[in-house]
Amino acid sequence: MNTASCFIALFTSLVSLVFGYDEADIVFVGDAMQHQAQLEAAQRGSSYDYTGYFDAIQPIVSVADYAVVNLETPVGPPPHTGYPCFNAPEAFVDALVDAGFDMFLTANNHTLDRGPKGLRGTVDVLDSRGLDHLGTYKDDSSRTRALPKIVDVNGFKIGFLNYTYGTNGISPRDGVVVDYIDRSRIKADVDDTRKAGAELMCVCMHWGDEYSLLPNKTQQHLADFLEALGVDMVIGAHPHVIQPMEFRANRYFPEKNIFLVYSLGNFVSNMKTRDTRGGAMAHVKLFRGEDHRPMVKEADYRLLFTVPASGRDDNFRVMEADSVKAALWKARAAEFAKAARGIFDKHNIGVPETDSKIPD
């Protein structure tokens, strides 16, 4: 750390001590994908333009103290391809950064779609922009340097971890590291992160059955395991559809709350069934009371919907499901929202839908 960075860090710490940071807001979204139709819509000759992609949700993402997205595609040079072996252009990351995202999760089943070169290239792209990211590493020493990952969010020291159930049968080679779901590894990582100073723990899991609106037994057992470790936030992805959320007291540590999301669904994609056309944005409020003990205070969600491109010069757009106005997509968005609310209303525990609207 250089002299200027040390001064800034010291100044921030002094301000925190004098004035006290007592609240922070974090938002989480699901799978950020690039299918072939999305690539074709964004392509402008040899470059890619994502203008308008996230304009509708940028006001709420950018004002959060921290925003987390699951980057479910390698990112690198051409050829750029969609399913089944993804490879998105760097401009896609830039669009997510412009929208306000701070943390990029990379441990998912598509992270090795382009082999070790693609994994390392993705890490290089994120590093070149100075972005927080975790879940995959160029080698063992890179993982050792990257973890524990503790982020200071408005005075709250939050430890982040990210794991995936698998990588579509593609094994890591040439030294690259993918953080797979392994209970002994997770426990050791949680312990190490706490010892390094984390006040709160957030573990992001790529798990579950694709297209299932309810969690399976494996997810439930892993969630229980993480709760027993005292993890404060468990954020799930992979099913490409929403699954229930819970905000309640930790059953093993009653003085703590836990926020559990089984799946946030798709953030942006070209999937076409009713339940895969959108997802949820989860919002968490952190609080530090007079006893200075940090806690997850409350949580809510809003529903998002991907509106496909309408022409060659148009782009896909992520919007609040209830704000879609185009006749065809308004009906589709309403169908998606009705089904999602049906699941959340029946199965959510303590996580309501927000009544606030994203400002224009």
Side-chain angles (χ1 to χ4, degrees), residues 84-85 109-116 166-173 178 180:
C85 288
N109 57 304
H110 287 287
T111 198
L112 288 174
D113 279 6
R114 292 290 170 175
T167 46
N168 291 345
I170 306 172
S171 299
R173 53 186 175 83
V178 177
Y180 293 104

Side-chain angles (χ1 to χ4, degrees), residues 80-246:
H80 296 120
T81 54
Y83 182 84
C85 288
F86 291 101
N87 184 39
E90 295 183 27
F92 183 53
V93 168
D94 294 330
L96 289 163
V97 173
D98 290 342
F101 288 101
D102 304 290
M103 167 72 79
F104 289 70
L105 307 174
T106 58
N108 57 69
N109 57 304
H110 287 287
T111 198
L112 288 174
D113 279 6
R114 292 290 170 175
K117 183 177 180 180
L119 185 152
R120 289 193 172 105
T122 302
V123 169
D124 286 339
V125 169
L126 299 173
D127 282 343
S128 71
R129 286 146 174 84
L131 299 170
D132 289 339
H133 61 90
L134 75 163
T136 59
Y137 310 92
K138 297 166 77 170
D139 49 41
D140 286 325
S141 61
S142 296
R143 187 183 193 276
T144 300
R145 290 191 300 271
L147 299 180
K149 182 68 174 178
I150 301 175
V151 180
D152 188 317
V153 180
N154 211 23
F156 293 84
K157 293 180 173 59
I158 306 172
F160 284 89
L161 294 164
N162 179 211
Y163 305 92
T164 181
Y165 75 93
T167 46
N168 291 345
I170 306 172
S171 299
R173 53 186 175 83
D174 195 25
V176 299
V177 177
V178 177
D179 274 349
Y180 293 104
I181 295 171
D182 176 272
R183 292 190 180 210
S184 59
R185 167 58 65 86
I186 293 172
K187 184 181 185 306
D189 289 343
V190 169
D191 290 344
D192 289 346
T193 306
R194 282 212 181 93
K195 290 175 184 176
E199 300 176 294
L200 298 169
M201 287 298 309
C202 178
V203 178
C204 301
M205 303 287 279
H206 207 76
W207 59 1
D209 297 325
E210 288 186 329
Y211 318 122
S212 174
L213 291 164
L214 295 175
N216 61 30
K217 292 297 184 182
T218 298
Q219 286 171 276
Q220 292 171 337
H221 292 158
L222 281 168
D224 186 68
F225 166 73
L226 293 167
E227 184 176 0
L229 291 179
V231 171
D232 303 274
M233 293 168 277
V234 179
I235 309 297
H238 174 62
H240 299 302
V241 297
I242 60 91
Q243 291 181 343
M245 308 177 181
E246 300 178 12

Side-chain angles (χ1 to χ4, degrees), residues 267 274 277-279 303-308 317-321 324 329-330 332-334 336:
F267 174 51
R274 181 196 66 187
R277 288 188 179 276
L303 294 176
L304 306 178
F305 184 83
T306 298
V307 177
R317 297 172 188 271
V318 180
M319 307 180 70
E320 275 193 291
V324 177
W329 302 114
K330 181 176 182 179
R332 298 282 179 85
F336 159 77

Side-chain angles (χ1 to χ4, degrees), residues 267-283:
F267 174 51
V268 61
S269 79
N270 188 44
M271 291 189 173
K272 298 177 180 178
T273 61
R274 181 196 66 187
D275 298 325
T276 61
R277 288 188 179 276
M281 175 188 290
H283 164 247

